[in-house]
Amino acid sequence: MSANPIYHLKDAYFFEVPKGLWRHHWKTLDDVPKFLREGHPEVKTAAEFNHAMDGKVLIPQYFGTIESLYARRSGLAISKYMLLELVVAAVMLLLFSRLARHLSDGDRPRGKFANLFEAFLVFIRDQIARPAIDDPPGHGHDQDAGGKAAPVHRGDQFVPMLWTLFFFVLGCNLLGMVPWAGSPTASFSVTLALAGATFATGMLSGMKQFGFLGFFLNQVPPIDMPAYLLPLKIVISVGLFLIEMLGLCIKHLILAVRLLANMVAGHLVLLGIMGLITAAASASTGMWATVTSISVVSATLFSVLELFVAFLQAYIFTFLSALFIGAAVHHH
């Protein structure tokens, strides 16, 4: 029940709304959830819990138990970010299902809705998937492991995955601008899972392209050395293989960290700006009014910048994912 503002960025097992919109009416300590009583034995009355928890909408836990408002004890505890991710997924499903019905007859898109999403789709295909994944002209790698001819635009087969990644990251980013919600991409577990999806797609696609062993052998660049230096060649190849595999893991880890860092940084700046209002509360009325005015204007302008950053980070994450997938399906 801490008032630490940094908890605004953490995943939690409750939604916070204005106190007047959600009040608890626990009569006795037995009515108070067990984890709250065990976590705060110093609180002796239900009224104190009511006052501290007003405005906090606890998420029912049917599949697990929690130790505090921010920590799981056992089982599958449902958190705020989990529910928000489901909301994003549900909205995407509804929008894309409607879009699919619009385009199912093969006719050109009609209406603002269809044209808007077609513009996004064409941009992701032409500016992300194809440049990052297609074979360059004259590259010569026109067959897969089975000897079949590679498609002219290899990147097109990854457009559905990149399209989904882009809108999921964008939706999670934009939720950070919604009052009383939060940005799931400000959680490392979320960004790590997204990077894991890119990692798995790249590895599976590379194995499909070159075969299971061929994918790993492709990580080592060819080394042209005389036969009598074969032992040295083996040592160098093993070392390069280990370095390449470590690099493969690290670059996907960085993919997760950079999205997390960018989303957390923006929220921290906003918290710092708005925190100036509280810091100036003990000053004179004139000083407080000046600080408040500057803080509100600054926070508004920075929120507009955050809106741009939400789109930018979704684009960068998708583009880097395409680059990593492209590297996995091409010869080194």
Side-chain angles (χ1 to χ4, degrees):
M1 293 185 290
S2 171
N4 189 338
I6 200 65
Y7 283 146
H8 170 75
L9 302 176
K10 288 175 63 68
D11 196 6
Y13 297 99
F14 68 94
F15 285 90
E16 191 152 14
V17 299
K19 289 181 177 290
L21 297 180
W22 189 270
R23 295 192 181 277
H24 294 278
H25 300 284
W26 296 316
K27 303 297 183 183
T28 66
L29 286 177
D30 291 335
D31 297 330
V32 178
K34 183 180 179 181
F35 77 91
L36 287 175
R37 287 184 276 121
E38 292 179 348
H40 301 275
E42 73 281 1
V43 181
K44 303 300 183 183
T45 65
E48 292 180 77
F49 279 111
N50 285 333
H51 177 73
M53 293 296 295
D54 282 344
K56 292 180 172 63
V57 184
L58 296 176
I59 300 172
Q61 302 297 334
Y62 300 109
F63 309 106
T65 58
I66 57 178
E67 186 174 335
S68 71
L69 294 173
Y70 302 95
R72 178 183 65 89
R73 175 172 293 171
S74 63
L76 177 62
I78 307 301
S79 70
K80 176 175 69 173
Y81 285 168
M82 289 182 182
L83 295 179
L84 291 175
E85 288 175 79
L86 288 176
V87 169
V88 174
V91 171
M92 288 173 59
L93 181 62
L94 291 174
L95 288 176
F96 294 166
S97 297
R98 180 184 172 189
L99 181 63
R101 287 195 298 270
H102 272 74
L103 304 178
S104 59
D105 58 1
D107 195 8
R108 65 182 179 85
R110 298 178 183 276
K112 297 178 181 178
F113 173 80
N115 278 280
L116 172 65
F117 281 94
E118 188 206 25
F120 276 106
L121 179 59
V122 171
F123 178 83
I124 292 172
R125 185 194 67 186
D126 293 348
Q127 303 300 324
I128 297 179
R130 288 182 178 179
I133 303 175
D134 279 4
D135 286 325
H139 196 270
H141 299 150
D142 54 355
Q143 291 184 336
D144 60 17
K148 297 180 180 179
V152 176
H153 292 294
R154 191 195 301 269
D156 288 4
Q157 61 187 311
F158 297 100
V159 169
M161 186 267 187
L162 297 173
W163 160 274
T164 304
L165 263 183
F166 175 82
F167 279 100
F168 186 79
V169 173
L170 176 62
C172 290
N173 290 350
L174 291 177
L175 280 178
M177 308 296 295
V178 178
W180 316 321
S183 176
T185 43
S187 169
F188 185 55
S189 58
V190 175
T191 59
L192 187 62
L194 292 169
T198 299
F199 180 73
T201 301
M203 286 198 66
L204 294 175
S205 300
M207 290 176 183
K208 179 182 177 182
Q209 177 72 18
F210 304 111
F212 180 79
L213 291 177
F215 170 76
F216 293 102
L217 292 176
N218 185 51
Q219 304 305 311
V220 181
I223 302 175
D224 188 14
M225 297 180 68
Y228 62 85
L229 293 178
L230 180 61
L232 178 60
K233 179 179 179 179
I234 293 175
V235 172
I236 294 176
S237 296
V238 171
L240 287 176
F241 174 77
L242 294 176
I243 292 173
E244 287 290 338
M245 293 308 298
L246 180 62
L248 188 66
C249 296
I250 289 175
K251 69 182 183 181
H252 285 86
L253 179 62
I254 292 174
L255 181 66
V257 171
R258 68 164 308 283
L259 177 59
L260 169 72
N262 278 284
M263 299 315 299
V264 169
H267 293 299
L268 284 176
V269 172
L270 281 174
L271 280 175
I273 292 173
M274 299 308 292
L276 294 175
I277 299 175
T278 304
S282 58
S284 64
T285 302
M287 177 62 72
W288 178 83
T290 302
V291 171
T292 299
S293 301
I294 295 174
S295 296
V296 169
V297 172
S298 300
T300 302
L301 295 175
F302 196 82
S303 294
V304 175
L305 177 61
E306 278 286 277
L307 188 62
F308 167 73
V309 169
F311 282 86
L312 178 64
Q313 294 306 319
Y315 164 75
I316 292 176
F317 188 92
T318 307
F319 186 72
L320 290 176
S321 295
L323 286 177
F324 295 163
I325 294 171
V329 299
H330 287 99
H331 283 289
H332 283 197

